[in-house]
Amino acid sequence: MLPHSILVSSGTQSTGHGNHKEDSPFLSSADTSGRRNDFYDRNLALFEEELDIRPKVSSLLSRLVNYTNVTQGAKEHEEEESAEASRRKTPKSPNMGTLMGVYLPCLQNIFGVILFLRLTWIVGMAGIIQSLLIVLMCCSCTMLTAISMSAIATNGVVPAGGAYFMISRSLGPEFGGAVGLCFYLGTTFASAMYILGAIEIFLKYLVPQAAIFHSTDHLGRDSALLNNMRVYGTLCLSLMAVVVFVGVKYVNKLASLFLACVIISIISIYAGAIKSMTHPPKFQICMLGNRTLVRDGFDVCAKTEVKGNITEPSQLWNRFCVGGNLSSAQCDDYFIQNNVTEIQGIPGLGSGIIRENMWSNYLQKGEILEKAGLRSVDAHSPLENFVNYVSADIATSFTLLVGIFFPSATGIMAGSNRSGDLRDAQKSIPVGTILAITTTSLVYLSSVVLFGSCIEGVVLRDKFGNAVKQNLVVGTLSWPSPWVIVIGSFFSTVGAGLQSLTGAPRLLQAIAKDNIIPFLRVFGHGKANGEPTWALLLTGLIAELGILIASLDMVAPILSMFFLMCYLFVNLACAVQTLLRTPNWRPRFKYYHWALSFLGMSMCLALMFISSWYYAIVAMGIAGMIYKYIEYQGAEKEWGDGIRGLSLSGARYALLRLEAGPPHTKNWRPQLLVLLKLDEDLHVKYPRMLTFASQLKAGKGLTIVGSVIQGNFLDSYGEMQAAEQAIKNMMEIERVKGFCQVVVATKVREGIAHLIQSCGLGGMKHNTVVMGWPYGWRQSEDPRAWKTFINTVRCTTAAHLALMVPKNVSFYPSNHERFTDGNIDVWWIVHDGGMLMLLPFLLKQHKVWRKCKMRIFTVAQMDDNSIQMKKDLATFLYQLRIEAEVEVVEMHDSDISAYTYERTLMMEQRSQMLRQMRLSSAERQREAQLVKDRHSLVRMGSLYSDEEEDVMEVPPEKVHMTWSKEKCEAERRNRNNAPENFRELMSLKPDQSNVRRMHTAVKLNEVIVNRSHDARLVLLNMPGPPRNTDGDENYMEFLEVLTEGLERVMLVRGGGREVITIYS
């Protein structure tokens, strides 16, 4: 089987067997129809009739040679492919290698704003050891993810679409859509982070004079900076969006320039570190006691300075003291009592400063940066003087720094996003990505050690370089000039922002075009050349939210969450596919293992909660909501994903566990096989059967809906499929969660027997059959109407299955009705497992029946103690935890009434009459009319046959009659003498056992109608059919008499086992 991403690039889809797109994914019927001459090749004569749906191997291979990846932003899928193939120009063959196509783009995406603006600060706060741990955790996570991604990317041809395509095709549309949107949001917030980084460099280090908002006091300084970031960030975002809208080609051309800026900046850091061994750069830090001063507004780091021969107050003095001369000025106590000293900001690689920077030094917000080891005298200092000290702008902790650093490890998907442009994607993506991560990890690890070895601790902890004359801290180390880093980092952050703004709309467009999230469809459209205009607009609006946050340290953890979520699912996809060992899982990249994928997944999850547990919960909540939305509202997609395979493995495992034995009584619930009857148009005749099933099950357990079509399987296959679809549609309307099974059989009763025997699988088999009542069996002279019904009752009894027969099912409530009052009456006449107790309890779980009360009636004979019976029954129900009213109905012995006798006589006469009718088709109508006139016994209004099966004309010799042998012989001789035979029929005496049974049915019916005539539903025991099949027709009459006068009644027959227990 070839990967599912192989496309049919021209012609129309061959129909084949079924209508699935991938039934014949290789060669279109249009192509094959043009090659009819090849079909009669002598060497392939055996296969010539099927060559239209099963093409020759040579035809297939010629199509695969011409196959190319779909370019990013173009139509990705099979649905659009065939219509446009004829108009499409031949695409340029991809020719990018590992270096240009994967390695360098990954480097550009991984190196970014955090390296230049925050890594020194992270080292200062966390210390070298914890910083190495942070870098190691983040880089290990991305390395493990890259290994999983390489396995997925090399498992077949991956069209452009990157992480979204890989995850959606491995884990299904629900996970794919959720993770795709998370990846989109991460990329969008990444653009906001890069823009904020660029604006921070611009306002702090390039053109500080451009600030619009200013503040003199200590408290307003941060808010003024944030407002400046918001204004300039919004302008920068608007400008970048216009650039992306006008022409993406310019962005791609400038990518090499931006990458060059990054590489030059990193080289300058290493050069500066090496030079600092012998000639450290001169950046003096001014300290007051052990506190670090802001080096702004004064040149001389001293309290006084000598001009000529006169000692005068310095500029620093004037910042802490009020008054002109040295003797009378009012000064800050801390300033007076502590000395001013200068220390070297960049001691250099050989200075041994690494020992001081080894351990963490976390600060609270507003805490002043202090250097351990310098002498200091504690004294009161006014609040207004705090503006002169370098202080922490946010509270720091290990977890916060993990969230801020992680975005600098992202960007590993850059290679897979360009898979459409690669000469050999299956080789380039693993090699290029893993090499890029190795390179960047080594740079980060070495940078941590270099920063800790060369730079003074208070300077490292100074986020904005206030102590080194507003220089970028990492710039102070670089060679030949700090401007190399400032300008290089500015251009690299601008370039990364442009790349993110370019990639995010295309990712959203790809998700929209897959049509799995209905409300995103509008973002699938764009300009005539395919540029995603609407998606770019939405991306700009979301990025603006990040700009309004305005703090790089607040935005970084947000995009960390979304990227970690994406990486988590990449690892999950690889692990699932590996463990399932699906036949299509054959990656060319062999150095992967499910344990590595699970480790990567665990690290992603751990990092999410380490960096920010509340952001993690919000991100998972967003992904969960998208997942459920796609599950309920999205389009059905079958991509051969691993979750489907996982479901199959889980189902197999569960079925094997269930096979161990029958369920315990505590776990027993009715697993239904609902037998439906279809009309001539293959529509469900009694949809309320399904309504009742949904109310009884409430989505729990197993429901199988079965039906039988009479005929030959080879001829009726299409009819069977149509019937299955009709039943599935009705099940969806009635909200029945279950399976559909339609069988074709020559006789309907045989088909039902097959369903009862073979439905279900292993331990997931039905234990209860729900069957409709054969309405109109009295009016029909055809025995088919009731014989199939009784045969089914016997089959369920033989199979030890419970049976439910809802009578008058058309009067049962729909799912939209609500009973606000009324009773569900249970007539417990004989005990057959407790089904009668359990069914009302299950029905009351549904909103239709919830407000109904349950009443249980039982019948007491003359020799029973009815008072004691009532007490015992109430105790039994209490122990069962079932709330119900209890009533014991006494049935006194009474003589058989004339009505009962007459009713039995009419039943037997009708039975004999119909047998005679079958003997002579010529006189059938006349005899029926005679009986109708005499006793009004038979109404021939509407002929109804409950089942459709072959009717065999029974020869007169084989008719089993209850007459004597002499009468039978006389009947054979005088078959055509109808009036005489009819007079003999009328002189019959009823059978005594039938009279007794009719007496029971009549008396019970009187009692039930008297007590339950207004009940919402009546449940009662269904008597079993007679052992002697001669009395089958009489059995139907007994059931009719038993349920006469009741609007909604259900006959229940247990399966021979206890289904309810008093024990916990």
Side-chain angles (χ1 to χ4, degrees):
M1 180 71 183
L2 286 163
H4 288 169
S5 54
I6 291 176
L7 310 176
V8 181
S9 60
S10 66
T12 55
Q13 183 69 30
S14 173
T15 55
H17 290 297
N19 55 4
H20 198 282
K21 193 73 188 171
E22 289 177 359
D23 285 342
S24 50
F26 304 123
L27 191 63
S28 64
S29 55
D31 294 325
T32 56
S33 62
R35 303 182 184 184
R36 281 287 161 191
N37 296 334
D38 293 344
F39 285 5
Y40 302 102
D41 193 307
R42 282 173 299 174
N43 297 326
L44 296 177
L46 275 175
F47 304 95
E48 63 188 13
E49 291 186 359
E50 290 189 314
L51 281 175
D52 55 339
I53 55 171
R54 298 176 189 198
K56 289 193 299 181
V57 174
S58 58
S59 306
L60 169 64
L61 293 176
S62 69
R63 301 299 298 158
L64 292 182
V65 167
N66 294 330
Y67 169 75
T68 64
N69 288 333
V70 185
T71 53
Q72 191 166 8
K75 287 187 165 52
E76 183 191 299
H77 252 122
E78 296 93 331
E79 286 79 9
E80 292 87 6
E81 193 67 24
S82 56
E84 295 211 351
S86 56
R87 301 197 298 271
R88 186 175 299 158
K89 295 176 182 174
T90 306
K92 241 181 9 179
S93 61
N95 56 5
M96 295 183 81
T98 304
L99 183 70
M100 294 301 295
V102 181
Y103 181 71
L104 292 179
C106 280
L107 277 189
Q108 184 184 358
N109 278 266
I110 296 172
F111 285 134
V113 63
I114 302 294
L115 171 64
F116 301 119
L117 291 184
R118 293 290 181 270
L119 190 57
T120 52
W121 175 71
I122 289 172
V123 173
M125 290 295 180
I128 292 174
I129 291 176
Q130 289 191 22
S131 298
L132 288 173
L133 181 62
I134 291 172
V135 173
L136 204 61
M137 283 170 60
C138 295
C139 293
S140 300
C141 178
T142 52
M143 178 62 85
L144 291 170
T145 304
I147 291 170
S148 299
M149 185 193 74
S150 299
I152 299 172
T154 58
N155 186 48
V157 183
V158 179
Y164 163 68
F165 185 91
M166 289 190 291
I167 294 168
S168 62
R169 270 51 176 186
S170 297
L171 292 179
E174 294 89 358
F175 277 113
V179 179
L181 278 184
C182 282
F183 192 45
Y184 163 73
L185 289 172
T187 311
T188 305
F189 274 103
S191 65
M193 184 188 76
Y194 290 130
I195 291 169
L196 287 173
I199 298 304
E200 186 177 308
I201 294 168
F202 178 76
L203 287 176
K204 281 282 183 181
Y205 312 114
L206 280 176
V207 192
Q209 303 82 14
I212 300 170
F213 301 96
H214 300 276
S215 177
T216 52
D217 65 316
H218 171 68
L219 296 173
R221 191 169 59 187
D222 290 341
S223 59
L225 173 64
L226 293 180
N227 287 330
N228 284 320
M229 299 276 279
R230 289 184 183 110
V231 172
Y232 280 101
T234 304
L235 290 173
C236 185
L237 175 64
S238 306
L239 188 64
M240 284 185 176
V242 169
V243 170
V244 172
F245 178 76
V246 169
V248 181
K249 58 183 180 217
Y250 303 116
V251 178
N252 293 331
K253 284 179 180 175
L254 290 171
S256 304
L257 173 65
F258 296 139
L259 179 61
C261 291
V262 174
I263 293 171
I264 292 168
S265 300
I266 291 170
I267 291 170
S268 75
I269 294 172
Y270 282 103
I274 294 167
K275 181 176 176 293
S276 71
M277 292 179 69
T278 54
H279 299 87
K282 300 294 181 188
F283 283 99
Q284 299 297 324
I285 310 300
C286 193
M287 307 293 293
L288 177 60
N290 64 354
R291 295 180 180 178
T292 311
L293 294 173
V294 175
R295 196 68 181 256
D296 182 27
F298 64 93
D299 299 322
V300 179
C301 182
K303 293 183 181 180
T304 59
E305 54 184 322
V306 179
K307 291 185 179 177
N309 290 325
I310 303 170
T311 302
E312 293 182 352
S314 66
Q315 291 173 313
L316 183 60
W317 176 283
N318 294 329
R319 295 178 78 91
F320 284 93
C321 298
V322 179
N325 60 33
L326 295 171
S327 56
S328 63
Q330 293 182 348
C331 294
D332 186 334
D333 288 347
Y334 188 88
F335 179 75
I336 295 296
Q337 296 183 34
N338 287 279
N339 295 325
V340 176
T341 56
E342 270 193 320
I343 59 172
Q344 177 69 347
I346 315 290
L349 203 56
S351 64
I353 195 74
I354 188 171
R355 285 191 295 274
E356 292 181 23
N357 293 331
M358 195 66 73
W359 309 110
S360 63
N361 196 344
Y362 297 116
L363 301 175
Q364 294 300 313
K365 184 176 181 179
E367 197 172 338
I368 296 170
L369 271 59
E370 297 177 347
K371 177 172 171 58
L374 285 181
R375 181 179 170 277
S376 173
V377 179
D378 282 337
H380 174 70
S381 185
L383 187 63
E384 59 267 14
N385 286 337
F386 269 86
V387 74
N388 297 316
Y389 300 112
V390 181
S391 60
D393 64 330
I394 57 170
T396 51
S397 63
F398 178 80
T399 57
L400 177 82
L401 298 183
V402 170
I404 291 173
F405 176 77
F406 186 79
S408 63
T410 61
I412 62 172
M413 299 289 183
S416 63
N417 289 345
R418 294 165 178 256
S419 56
D421 302 323
L422 298 172
R423 190 184 307 116
D424 183 2
Q426 298 191 3
K427 177 187 172 188
S428 297
I429 289 175
V431 173
T433 306
I434 291 171
L435 273 179
I437 293 174
T438 307
T439 306
T440 53
S441 301
L442 290 173
V443 169
Y444 286 140
L445 291 168
S446 59
S447 296
V448 167
V449 176
L450 286 177
F451 293 157
S453 305
C454 298
I455 305 175
E456 171 62 49
V458 288
V459 179
L460 286 173
R461 290 188 285 279
D462 182 6
K463 185 188 289 184
F464 300 113
N466 292 320
V468 284
K469 298 181 180 177
Q470 305 296 325
N471 274 297
L472 183 60
V473 174
V474 70
T476 59
L477 181 63
S478 65
W479 178 87
S481 165
W483 287 102
V484 175
I485 291 279
V486 173
I487 295 170
S489 59
F490 177 76
F491 279 115
S492 72
T493 49
V494 169
L498 279 172
Q499 292 283 357
S500 297
L501 271 183
T502 306
R506 278 159 180 70
L507 180 59
L508 182 62
Q509 188 181 41
I511 298 170
K513 284 192 173 179
D514 262 344
N515 203 18
I516 56 172
I517 305 176
F519 69 82
L520 288 182
R521 283 176 192 149
V522 65
F523 299 108
H525 308 296
K527 291 195 289 188
N529 60 355
E531 291 299 320
T533 312
W534 292 107
L536 177 62
L537 183 63
L538 180 66
T539 304
L541 291 174
I542 296 173
E544 178 62 20
L545 294 177
I547 299 291
L548 292 176
I549 294 172
S551 169
L552 188 68
D553 306 315
M554 294 287 286
V555 174
I558 295 175
L559 69 102
S560 293
M561 289 306 127
F562 290 124
F563 278 121
L564 280 166
M565 183 83 71
C566 178
Y567 296 166
L568 185 149
F569 282 105
V570 169
N571 285 302
L572 176 63
C574 181
V576 166
Q577 298 275 32
T578 308
L579 287 174
L580 288 177
R581 295 178 182 158
T582 49
N584 191 50
W585 180 247
R586 303 186 296 275
R588 288 189 180 279
F589 179 77
K590 299 298 181 187
Y591 307 101
Y592 69 93
H593 192 269
W594 63 266
L596 290 177
S597 299
F598 268 117
L599 180 61
M601 191 173 72
S602 306
M603 287 190 72
C604 288
L605 196 62
L607 284 173
M608 285 175 71
F609 282 93
I610 285 172
S611 56
S612 176
W613 64 267
Y614 44 90
Y615 278 164
I617 290 171
V618 170
M620 292 170 85
I622 290 171
M625 286 190 291
I626 297 166
Y627 178 94
K628 297 307 287 184
Y629 177 79
I630 297 172
E631 188 177 43
Y632 285 111
Q633 296 291 331
E636 289 291 328
K637 297 281 181 183
E638 175 51 66
W639 288 331
D641 52 85
I643 293 298
R644 184 65 63 89
L646 192 63
S647 302
L648 187 63
S649 288
R652 173 183 163 277
Y653 173 77
L655 284 170
L656 289 172
R657 287 286 304 272
L658 284 173
E659 192 75 8
H664 191 272
T665 304
K666 288 186 288 187
N667 296 328
W668 196 95
R669 64 165 64 242
Q671 316 289 9
L672 301 183
L673 169 61
V674 183
L675 297 176
L676 284 187
K677 181 174 172 55
L678 305 178
D679 60 18
E680 295 80 7
D681 299 325
L682 299 178
H683 295 142
V684 178
K685 199 157 189 177
Y686 300 110
R688 285 294 162 85
M689 294 275 286
L690 292 174
T691 311
F692 172 73
S694 73
Q695 292 168 5
L696 182 65
K697 299 296 288 179
K700 305 289 192 302
L702 175 72
T703 304
I704 303 173
V705 180
S707 189
V708 180
I709 291 177
Q710 189 179 359
N712 180 278
F713 178 72
L714 293 176
D715 300 330
S716 305
Y717 179 72
E719 194 177 344
M720 184 190 80
Q721 283 192 314
E724 269 192 10
Q725 194 55 51
I727 292 174
K728 283 178 182 175
N729 292 342
M730 187 55 68
M731 287 171 70
E732 196 171 330
I733 292 168
E734 297 295 341
R735 297 179 184 173
V736 176
K737 291 183 171 68
F739 308 98
C740 173
Q741 181 78 54
V742 178
V743 298
V744 179
T746 51
K747 292 187 178 181
V748 173
R749 71 174 68 175
E750 288 178 5
I752 291 175
H754 293 158
L755 284 173
I756 289 172
Q757 290 176 72
S758 60
C759 272
L761 181 65
M764 278 294 280
K765 290 183 75 72
H766 56 277
N767 56 29
T768 306
V769 176
V770 181
M771 174 175 57
W773 178 259
Y775 305 102
W777 68 274
R778 278 177 172 166
Q779 287 79 6
S780 173
E781 59 196 56
D782 193 344
R784 296 178 301 180
W786 45 267
K787 279 191 175 177
T788 303
F789 175 81
I790 296 175
N791 187 66
T792 307
V793 176
R794 286 198 172 101
C795 284
T796 56
T797 306
H800 300 290
L801 302 176
L803 176 67
M804 291 190 285
V805 181
K807 199 159 178 268
N808 303 329
V809 75
S810 301
F811 296 115
Y812 278 49
S814 70
N815 284 325
H816 305 295
E817 295 179 46
R818 302 281 187 282
F819 287 143
T820 54
D821 57 2
N823 301 307
I824 299 176
D825 286 357
V826 176
W827 283 85
W828 192 22
I829 300 162
V830 294
H831 179 64
D832 58 356
M835 274 280 285
L836 285 171
M837 310 292 176
L838 190 59
L839 291 177
F841 171 77
L842 294 174
L843 276 176
K844 278 167 63 69
Q845 308 301 308
H846 196 273
K847 56 193 173 187
V848 172
W849 304 92
R850 189 164 293 150
K851 296 193 176 175
C852 292
K853 292 180 180 175
M854 184 174 163
R855 297 192 300 184
I856 296 184
F857 298 89
T858 189
V859 175
Q861 303 300 321
M862 283 298 292
D863 53 348
D864 293 328
N865 184 343
S866 59
I867 297 172
Q868 189 61 39
M869 273 181 73
K870 185 169 182 177
K871 284 182 182 176
D872 293 344
L873 181 55
T875 306
F876 179 57
L877 288 176
Y878 177 78
Q879 290 173 335
L880 287 176
R881 290 92 63 205
I882 289 177
E883 294 181 11
E885 293 179 27
V886 175
E887 288 195 40
V888 177
V889 179
E890 296 181 353
M891 287 186 67
H892 303 291
D893 285 342
S894 59
D895 294 332
I896 295 172
S897 65
Y899 170 75
T900 303
Y901 192 86
E902 181 70 16
R903 191 79 188 252
T904 311
L905 181 62
M906 287 162 59
M907 175 185 73
E908 292 195 356
Q909 286 175 342
R910 176 185 180 278
S911 189
Q912 297 289 8
M913 176 204 69
L914 287 177
R915 284 181 183 142
Q916 286 190 13
M917 283 183 174
R918 289 194 288 274
L919 299 183
S920 171
S921 58
E923 299 192 5
R924 186 175 298 165
Q925 293 292 332
R926 189 162 60 85
E927 290 193 8
Q929 188 63 40
L930 282 170
V931 177
K932 184 179 178 184
D933 294 343
R934 177 78 177 270
H935 286 289
S936 300
L937 185 61
V938 181
R939 288 169 290 143
M940 304 296 288
S942 59
L943 290 174
Y944 177 92
S945 170
D946 187 60
E947 308 292 355
E948 294 81 3
E949 61 179 87
D950 295 331
V951 183
M952 303 297 291
E953 279 295 329
V954 183
E957 288 75 19
K958 292 188 180 179
V959 174
H960 297 287
M961 293 184 267
T962 57
W963 303 347
S964 65
K965 190 175 180 183
E966 291 78 14
K967 284 190 178 179
C968 188
E969 292 290 334
E971 169 57 24
R972 285 197 184 116
R973 286 194 303 273
N974 305 308
R975 184 182 323 179
N976 297 321
N977 191 1
E980 210 173 294
N981 291 336
F982 191 75
R983 280 193 295 275
E984 287 179 4
L985 179 66
M986 291 298 109
S987 63
L988 278 174
K989 292 279 199 307
D991 183 75
Q992 282 306 308
S993 64
N994 287 342
V995 172
R996 281 189 294 105
R997 287 189 177 94
M998 183 63 78
H999 175 68
T1000 304
V1002 169
K1003 292 292 289 180
L1004 272 175
N1005 179 256
E1006 283 178 7
V1007 173
I1008 293 170
V1009 170
N1010 183 38
R1011 297 296 186 94
S1012 302
H1013 61 89
D1014 58 348
R1016 299 295 188 187
L1017 179 65
V1018 177
L1019 292 88
L1020 73 154
N1021 292 111
M1022 180 180 185
R1027 290 189 177 90
N1028 184 3
T1029 56
D1030 291 346
D1032 283 357
E1033 196 169 1
N1034 299 339
Y1035 170 70
M1036 295 296 296
E1037 188 69 34
F1038 296 145
L1039 294 182
E1040 283 282 12
V1041 172
L1042 185 62
T1043 56
E1044 219 167 38
L1046 297 172
E1047 185 182 17
R1048 297 186 196 94
V1049 61
M1050 183 158 66
L1051 298 165
V1052 180
R1053 188 163 169 74
R1057 62 162 291 174
E1058 292 293 328
V1059 300
I1060 195 165
T1061 178
I1062 63 174
Y1063 300 106
S1064 63

